[in-house]
Amino acid sequence: MARYDLVLRGGTVFDGGGAAGVTADLAIDGDRIAAIGRLAQGSGAAEIDVAGLAVAPGFIDVHTHDDRALLSQPEMAPKASQGVTTVIVGNCGISLAPMVPAGPLPPPLDLIGSAEYRYRRFADYLAALDAAPAAVNAAALVGHSTLRAGAMDRLDRPASERETEAMRERLADALEAGAIGLSSGLWYAPANAAPKAELVELARELHKAGALYTTHMRDEGDHVLESLDESFAVGREASVPVVISHHKVLGAENFGRTAETLPKIKAAMAQQPIGLDAYPYVASSTVLRAENIPRAIKILVTWSKPHPEASGRELAAVARDWGVSAEAAAERLQPAGAIYFMMSEADVRRVLAFEHTMIGSDGLPHDRHPHPRLWGTFPRVLGHYCREEKLFPLEEAVRRMTGLPAERFGLAGRGRLRPGAYADVTVFDPAAIIDRASFAEPTRPAAGIPLVLVNGQAVWRDGAATGTRPGRALRRQEMKREARSQGAA
Ligand code: ZN
Ligand code: CU
């Protein structure tokens, strides 16, 4: 007699907390894990033999720009194919809500949409996710640049007291609706003129709600240490947890300096709650900006509105064809996006190897020729950096993408495999998992991930999306309730 909806039989189960894998059956009932252990044959209405495969909590992509993709590409193939079952959206200061723009939006807000900024209140965006669910779960941050664009007539100055108050009210309203925190993108023009005090003022609202602050720092190059200090200060002054987004050091003259930043982060962690995430590549990607040209070893164009044919080409080659300088070519391509090779492999490894680093893809789902991190991040960490390069054991790699981020972002009931938890489960072959997306062919799905379940339902199976869309919009208050009931159980 079947007791469970589904039993995954005989896999190596990783709990997501860092414990080594154990051979066990895993039973699912509805949207929850019902049991883990040796379960009688036939106890599942459906049973899948997963012997020899790893059974892990679904991966949590803590750094995404999937705000619109959840609605426009709801199968979320770039993520589901990697074993990702939950995405955090609204990073780098950019969120689709709450704002309805009066005119064209400045970069980088256009990375995730233009006409799609149609949610005056944050609750409207979450309701849109409820009404048209995606294949994966999503928890959402409010973007500081989005708040600025909605409250200020020009963005090249600090916000006035009245404008700050307007932003604070919208942030409070968003937190009330279920947002999990605030993100900033201080390196970008729309937020660069914001002083630390503006962020502290907004972060106080986060403190009241028990939400967190994530930041794409003002400077990831020469002044990276000062930027870390600024980020920590916002957290300290407002008493909120901080997450340093896509931690790296940029520019050849700064290569090796993660040997300074990581001990600094570690020291600060002893004083206040701090987290960080990273993606496993030596190239970054964002809007095309002329000021990056001298520092980058190589630049690839990812999209260009006036010159879509330049997508995927080297900026230098485009400039040569046109008989102009790289700066002039960048100007002609605007608005546009780019991939910048401006990190060292040694730094990428050092950040990935740091025990507190979570994994976040920072993928840009609307780019015509995207950075391969969009499709490759998680299998690259597991296949390349864990199996081939032996940067850390498999159970530790799994923890960085499951239990650790669930804890930092307050995703109660997810990120761990245990009875009562939501059945977000990724089944992969530790001997075969690998990213296949490259800079030349950036949209090739990964290999070695036969099955991905979200809330108990298969969203990716044997190399293809199933079309099922069981993802949920995760709201802060519901997760706090879940955490309390878990604590009581
Ligand atoms: Zn960023
Ligand atoms: Cu980002």
Side-chain angles (χ1 to χ4, degrees):
M1 259 267 292
R3 289 181 54 198
Y4 309 114
D5 292 337
L6 173 65
V7 172
L8 302 180
R9 201 160 280 289
T12 304
V13 176
F14 291 85
D15 72 350
V22 293
T23 304
D25 308 322
L26 182 142
I28 293 165
D29 231 1
D31 63 354
R32 303 263 184 172
I33 294 168
I36 299 173
R38 282 187 72 138
L39 307 171
Q41 288 292 336
S43 55
E47 302 211 345
I48 303 175
D49 179 6
V50 293
L53 301 175
V55 177
F59 307 147
I60 297 168
D61 189 347
V62 297
H63 191 106
T64 84
H65 296 285
D66 291 334
D67 306 53
R68 166 157 72 104
L70 288 164
L71 296 162
S72 66
Q73 312 162 26
E75 291 186 350
M76 293 291 289
K79 297 302 164 71
S81 63
Q82 293 186 57
V84 169
T85 56
T86 298
V87 296
I88 309 283
V89 302
N91 278 286
C92 295
I94 317 162
S95 63
L96 268 192
M99 187 205 7
V100 179
L105 284 164
L109 281 85
D110 54 356
L111 281 178
I112 56 169
S114 48
E116 295 81 4
Y117 282 89
R118 56 168 90 103
Y119 308 101
R120 195 166 298 286
R121 300 185 61 192
F122 207 79
D124 301 337
Y125 173 65
L126 294 177
L129 293 179
D130 290 342
V136 302
N137 305 306
L141 298 158
V142 183
H144 170 234
S145 295
T146 296
L147 290 177
R148 291 191 118 226
M152 300 172 69
D153 58 346
R154 47 187 295 187
L155 302 175
D156 59 349
R157 57 172 175 79
S160 70
E161 218 167 290
R162 258 193 40 221
E163 289 160 344
T164 306
E165 180 55 22
M167 290 195 274
R168 201 192 54 71
E169 271 172 32
R170 274 171 219 170
L171 174 59
D173 186 61
L175 291 167
E176 179 70 33
I180 61 163
L182 175 75
S183 78
S184 71
L186 299 176
W187 176 73
Y188 293 105
N192 197 249
K196 185 193 76 184
E198 184 179 314
L199 278 312
V200 172
E201 206 46 55
L202 295 174
R204 291 190 205 289
E205 216 47 59
L206 300 174
H207 171 72
K208 287 188 219 162
L212 86 173
Y213 172 63
T214 74
T215 181
H216 175 158
M217 301 194 296
R218 213 177 278 281
D219 192 308
E220 297 178 312
D222 300 353
H223 302 288
V224 65
L225 296 181
E226 291 90 323
S227 286
L228 284 172
D229 280 327
E230 179 183 36
S231 310
F232 302 159
V234 171
R236 253 189 345 262
E237 289 173 34
S239 294
V240 295
V242 178
V243 172
I244 307 296
S245 295
H246 44 59
H247 183 51
K248 55 180 159 328
V249 290
L250 293 176
E253 59 286 10
N254 293 307
F255 284 1
R257 292 190 66 201
T258 54
E260 297 168 56
T261 61
L262 294 174
K264 190 176 172 69
I265 291 170
K266 189 159 186 176
M269 286 182 82
Q271 311 299 321
Q272 63 184 109
I274 294 168
L276 73 162
D277 60 75
Y279 49 78
Y281 296 89
V282 293
S284 63
S285 182
T286 182
V287 287
L288 179 58
R289 259 173 67 164
E291 64 167 273
N292 275 352
I293 294 172
R295 309 183 87 181
I297 296 153
K298 184 167 87 176
I299 297 177
L300 294 177
V301 178
T302 53
W303 60 277
S304 162
K305 205 150 204 189
H307 294 283
E309 73 283 1
S311 303
R313 296 191 67 205
E314 273 193 52
L315 178 65
V318 174
R320 237 179 353 258
D321 284 1
W322 289 349
V324 299
S325 68
E327 283 77 5
E331 196 52 50
R332 267 197 219 173
L333 290 164
Q334 294 295 330
I339 290 168
Y340 305 94
F341 290 81
M342 47 199 304
M343 287 176 248
S344 86
E345 178 67 25
D347 282 316
V348 169
R349 280 167 192 251
R350 199 177 290 126
V351 173
L352 288 175
F354 185 55
E355 60 185 316
H356 303 293
T357 302
M358 300 176 281
I359 308 302
S361 70
D362 203 6
L364 298 170
H366 310 292
D367 286 11
R368 201 181 153 111
H369 186 93
H371 188 303
R373 66 193 184 186
L374 175 66
W375 288 80
T377 290
F378 290 80
R380 183 169 172 77
V381 169
L382 291 166
H384 179 61
Y385 283 109
C386 176
R387 182 182 63 240
E388 294 173 353
E389 300 293 315
K390 303 192 168 36
L391 217 52
F392 28 57
L394 185 54
E395 56 270 27
E396 177 60 12
V398 169
R399 185 186 73 90
R400 309 293 193 79
M401 37 186 82
T402 59
L404 179 64
E407 195 181 312
R408 284 246 174 274
F409 284 84
L411 309 179
R414 305 189 190 269
R416 299 290 285 267
L417 293 184
R418 56 186 165 209
Y422 288 103
D424 292 347
V425 182
T426 291
V427 177
F428 67 92
D429 182 349
I433 189 169
I434 197 71
D435 57 308
R436 292 190 304 183
S438 65
F439 287 97
E441 292 181 278
T443 61
R444 295 182 68 201
I449 308 176
L451 181 65
V452 182
L453 306 173
V454 173
N455 296 312
Q457 298 187 48
V459 298
W460 187 264
R461 194 154 184 187
D462 300 328
T466 62
T468 307
R469 290 156 48 184
R472 295 181 191 157
L474 306 179
R475 288 161 168 87
R476 208 185 69 265
Q477 294 86 339
E478 281 169 26
M479 293 190 284
K480 294 225 150 135
R481 269 198 297 280
E482 173 82 19
R484 276 196 297 274
S485 73
Q486 274 183 5

